[in-house]
Every structure is written in C-alpha cells, then in structure tokens.
C-alpha cells in the first residue's frame, strides 16, 4: 500500500485541531477521517479499518485510554496518542498499553504528519499488518484463517501442534512483535470469556515456548520482567 492510499482516523473532539491535522496529512498524501468522541472512534475504526489512529487522550464519552485498550483488543492498528501533559508517566502508560508513539500539545502539525508516516513505515516493515491472513516473524509463518503455524527449519516447513489458546497468544504477539504486551492484555485478547488469573498466561506461554524450542526456535516469546511478553529479542 502506498502512502497516498493510507487512511488516518483522527479522534479529536476539537474540530479546529482535527481540521489542521487533516490538512497537514493531506499535504503528505494521506487521507483522513474524523471522530468527535471515543465511541465514534471505535465505530469508525471497525467500519473504515484505518491504517493508523491519531487518538486524543481527553475524549468525551470514552476517553483515549479506553479506546486504546479496545483497539488493541481487536488487533494491531497503529496508534499515536495525543496528550496535553508532557509527563513521563503518561508516556510510559501509553507505550505499555500498546501505543506506537505519542505527541504532546501544543504540537507542530507538520511534525505529527511526519510521525504518522514514520509509524506507518515502521509497522509495515515489521510485518505488523495482516497480509492476506498471514503473519511472518523470523522463521514463523502464522496462517490466521487456517489456525496453522509452521516453522521454517531450513529443510522445509514444520507444522506446530498448538492449542487454540496458544495459537491466539502467538498470533497476538506476532502482530506487533517488538511491542511488549502485558499479561492483562494477553488474557483479554486471547481468553476474553475466561475468569482465569493473569498468571495463567505464563503457563500457556511456557507450553508454547517449549513447543517452539522443540521445533528449533529458542528464546521465544521473550519475557520482559515486570511488564509482559514480546516476540522479538530486541523488544
């Protein structure tokens, strides 16, 4: 997909700011749509399937944190948070919850447009977006439609016998392999109807890691102490 085809959903309750951002994105060859509150942002995210979401933290109806959590539960749409507070705790919270970047008001709209393009390039290069129902991370190939995972052993693919939960965990991590997902996020994404504790995720991932090691893939998923898990060693 070229940049001219990319669609950015601007979730911002101040129309003047949304108009300015839309104009600068258009200069970069990017299309845009506008949501005036958090609920509409979630509705448009489902309807339009934007390539990136510019999300203001202070949104009416549903705030930016609630929208961020729900979009991350649904998938891997890149998200840049917009916050009025230049505080490290806000930045850390945004990144840990799954944001790809953040900007602080007042901002330079040209810089925001540049960040949008940078995030789009980075997420596409990482293979974060689903390509024809397939995800590829290193030697792993994940077929989202057939619920099948294979490992490239060098002498041909080797299929892994995974449980449905193990498959969901692996697919969730593979969508954004360098981003650290918390246990709570993984539990919500992969066992949404379960009343299991977050530590249950550790057990499932331990079994998944053992199966990957048996297939010749070592050290994955990566455990980030005190935070969660990711699928690439450089996370």
């Amino acid at each position: 997909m070229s940049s001219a085809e990319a669609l950015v959903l601007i979730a911002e309750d101040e129309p003047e700011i949304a108009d300015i951002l839309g104009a600068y994105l258009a200069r970069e060859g990017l299309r845009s749509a506008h949501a005036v509150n958090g609920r509409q942002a979630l509705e448009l995210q489902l309807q339009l399937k934007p390539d990136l979401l510019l999300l203001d933290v202070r949104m009416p109806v549903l705030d930016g944190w609630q929208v961020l959590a729900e979009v991350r539960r649904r998938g891997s749409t890149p998200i840049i948070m917009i916050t009025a507070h230049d505080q490290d705790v806000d930045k850390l919270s945004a990144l840990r919850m799954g944001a790809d970047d953040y900007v602080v008001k007042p901002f330079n709209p040209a810089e925001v447009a540049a960040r949008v393009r940078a995030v789009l390039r980075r997420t596409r290069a990482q293979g974060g977006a689903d390509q024809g129902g397939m995800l590829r991370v290193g030697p792993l190939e994940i077929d989202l439609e057939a619920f099948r995972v294979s490992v490239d052993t060098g002498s041909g693919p080797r299929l892994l016998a995974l449980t449905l939960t193990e498959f969901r965990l692996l697919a969730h991590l593979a969508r954004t392999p360098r981003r650290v997902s918390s246990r709570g996020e993984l539990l919500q994404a992969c066992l949404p109807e379960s009343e299991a504790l977050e530590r249950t995720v550790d057990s499932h991932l331990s079994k998944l890691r053992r199966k990957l090691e048996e297939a010749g893939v070592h050290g994955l998923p990566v455990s980030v102490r005190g935070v969660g898990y990711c699928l690439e060693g450089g996370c």
Side-chain angles (χ1 to χ4, degrees):
M1 180 184 292
S2 68
S3 62
E5 296 172 329
L7 173 64
V8 178
L9 176 58
I10 304 169
E12 168 62 63
D13 63 323
E14 298 184 47
E16 298 84 359
I17 293 178
D19 289 344
I20 292 171
L21 288 172
Y24 274 82
L25 291 172
R27 292 182 187 181
E28 295 290 330
L30 301 166
R31 297 178 296 130
S32 65
H34 179 210
V36 298
N37 61 57
R39 180 170 296 152
Q40 186 181 38
L42 290 176
E43 292 172 351
L44 291 178
Q45 193 262 335
L46 280 178
Q47 295 171 12
L48 303 178
K49 294 180 171 54
D51 299 282
L52 184 141
L53 177 58
L54 268 175
L55 177 59
D56 190 7
V57 169
R58 294 189 174 184
M59 292 282 287
V61 186
L62 296 174
D63 65 28
W65 302 118
Q66 293 171 295
V67 175
L68 171 61
E70 175 59 20
V71 173
R72 277 291 159 265
R73 189 187 69 79
R74 296 174 177 177
S76 58
T77 302
I79 297 174
I80 298 179
M81 300 294 288
I82 301 174
T83 176
H85 299 287
D86 187 12
Q87 297 179 358
D88 288 340
V89 65
D90 288 343
K91 298 173 185 178
L92 188 59
S93 296
L95 295 176
R96 283 185 173 177
M97 287 182 65
D100 296 270
D101 201 353
Y102 54 84
V103 293
V104 179
K105 293 179 180 179
F107 51 71
N108 182 335
E111 179 186 352
V112 176
R115 289 191 181 218
V116 167
R117 293 196 57 150
V119 169
L120 286 172
R121 284 195 302 268
R122 184 171 72 243
T123 53
R124 288 168 183 171
Q126 290 173 349
D130 300 354
Q131 300 293 328
M134 301 292 292
L135 294 172
R136 295 178 178 85
V137 181
L140 300 176
E141 182 174 273
I142 303 166
D143 188 329
L144 300 174
E145 297 178 356
F147 289 87
R148 185 171 58 189
V149 177
S150 62
V151 176
D152 183 358
T153 62
S155 58
R158 173 177 173 177
L159 291 178
L160 296 183
L162 302 183
T163 66
L164 179 58
T165 298
E166 290 165 357
F167 178 88
R168 286 174 172 172
L169 287 167
L170 182 60
H172 183 85
L173 292 170
R175 286 187 171 95
T176 51
R178 292 183 62 84
R179 185 175 68 81
V180 180
S181 296
S182 69
R183 290 180 179 86
E185 177 188 341
L186 290 168
L187 187 65
Q188 179 62 31
C190 304
L191 293 165
E193 306 302 326
S194 172
E195 296 182 358
L197 300 175
E198 291 184 2
R199 288 292 176 179
T200 303
V201 170
D202 294 336
S203 176
H204 287 293
L205 287 175
S206 177
K207 294 174 182 176
L208 171 61
R209 185 182 290 114
R210 190 179 310 122
K211 292 179 180 180
L212 289 171
E213 288 176 348
E214 290 173 353
V217 180
H218 298 280
L220 297 180
V222 178
S223 176
V224 181
R225 185 176 179 84
V227 183
Y229 295 88
C230 65
L231 203 57
E232 287 193 352
C235 62

